């Protein structure tokens, strides 16, 4: 069975305008995801789902096939899960069924080929979802807080056992946008990755950057430079 790669790129980014095609070392950001997908033998096709003509033009010129995303699922508050469902249905109609869905967001240009292959290899019949994660810098059991009803500050999570060192707190992870691997049928039948059996793949911090704003972009430039 086939493995299809999808890159979901809206045109209306507010944190960093036109970030999906912003030039990072003379290369549109989205091209990093397209290029690495084309390097992996298991990936049969690479699609870009977008509502933006400019993103579509750049993506097509770099070897991706375009899925025109409807405007009603392209708003700021539109769950990307709806775009995933739309892309799968469109692909079924145009190319037939496939067995592995992999999303490679354009905002994670520091991922490696090995990271993606590790995710694809981890996807077995007993898993519905493979996500990527990295070691968290903060821990809700130790140094993450919220305001309480009295306008004071409390830990987000409280343990019955006093935790005085971060090393004694339960281990937690940050989700990353390096890759998502799913069964396409699972996506069509459910509404969240957490509806199924989820497995996490650990990614080193230096490859897990998710570009959401100008500060993140500057960090990517520093790392790649």
């Amino acid at each position: 069975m086939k493995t299809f790669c999808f890159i979901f790129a809206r045109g209306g980014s507010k944190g960093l305008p036109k970030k999906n095609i912003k030039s990072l070392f003379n290369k549109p950001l989205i091209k990093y995801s397209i290029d690495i997908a084309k390097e992996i033998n298991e990936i049969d096709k690479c699609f870009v789902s977008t509502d933006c003509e400019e993103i579509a033009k750049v993506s097509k010129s770099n070897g991706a096939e375009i899925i025109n995303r409807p405007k009603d699922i392209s708003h700021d508050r539109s769950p990307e899960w709806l775009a995933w469902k739309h892309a799968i249905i469109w692909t079924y109609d145009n190319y037939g069924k496939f067995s592995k869905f992999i999303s490679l967001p354009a905002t994670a240009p520091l991922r490696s080929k090995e990271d993606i292959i590790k995710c694809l290899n981890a996807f077995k019949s007993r898993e519905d979802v493979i996500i990527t994660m990295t070691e968290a810098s903060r821990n809700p059991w130790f140094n993450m807080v919220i305001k309480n009803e009295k306008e004071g500050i409390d830990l987000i999570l409280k343990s019955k056992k006093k935790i005085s060192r971060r090393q004694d707190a339960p281990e937690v992870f940050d989700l990353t946008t390096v890759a998502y691997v799913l069964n396409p049928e699972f996506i069509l039948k459910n509404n969240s990755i957490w509806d199924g059996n989820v497995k996490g793949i650990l990614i080193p911090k230096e490859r897990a950057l998710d570009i959401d704003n100008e500060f993140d972009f500057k960090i990517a430039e520093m790392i790649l430079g």
Side-chain angles (χ1 to χ4, degrees), residues 146-216:
I146 57 172
K147 288 184 178 180
N148 59 31
E149 294 178 356
K150 298 178 181 180
E151 292 299 311
I153 297 296
D154 283 328
L155 283 169
I156 292 178
L157 297 175
K158 293 185 178 180
S159 172
K160 292 181 180 179
K161 179 182 177 181
K162 185 176 180 180
I163 297 174
S164 56
R165 302 187 311 154
R166 185 171 181 270
Q167 293 90 332
D168 297 329
E171 192 173 17
V172 296
F173 303 91
D174 288 331
L175 295 182
T176 80
T177 57
V178 169
Y180 302 86
V181 182
L182 299 93
N183 181 328
E185 288 296 313
F186 170 81
I187 295 173
L188 293 178
K189 295 174 182 177
N190 293 278
N191 296 304
S192 166
I193 60 175
W194 308 113
D195 290 338
N197 183 22
V198 183
K199 181 177 181 179
I201 300 299
L202 192 63
I203 304 294
K205 279 185 176 291
E206 64 269 19
R207 299 202 299 270
L209 179 68
D210 178 34
I211 297 177
D212 188 51
N213 52 45
E214 188 67 38
F215 181 74
D216 298 331

Side-chain angles (χ1 to χ4, degrees), residues 3 12 15 19 21 36 84 100 102 132 138 156 199 216:
T3 296
K19 70 178 178 183
I21 53 175
I36 204 167
W84 286 11
K100 285 185 186 179
I102 179 167
T132 52
R138 298 282 179 176
I156 292 178
K199 181 177 181 179
D216 298 331

Side-chain angles (χ1 to χ4, degrees), residues 51 68-79 82-83 86:
D51 63 322
N68 293 311
R69 191 192 310 189
K71 293 293 183 183
D72 61 349
I73 57 170
S74 301
H75 302 298
D76 286 344
R77 297 184 180 181
S78 299
L82 296 180
H86 171 265

Side-chain angles (χ1 to χ4, degrees), residues 10 32 34-35 96 112 169 185:
R10 291 191 309 109
Y32 285 85
I34 296 170
D35 285 352
S112 72
E185 288 296 313

Side-chain angles (χ1 to χ4, degrees), residues 6 14 22 43 45 72-73 96 99 104 129 207 215 219:
F6 298 86
K14 292 183 177 179
K22 186 176 174 65
I43 294 176
K45 286 186 178 295
D72 61 349
I73 57 170
S99 59
L104 297 179
V129 183
R207 299 202 299 270
F215 181 74
I219 292 175

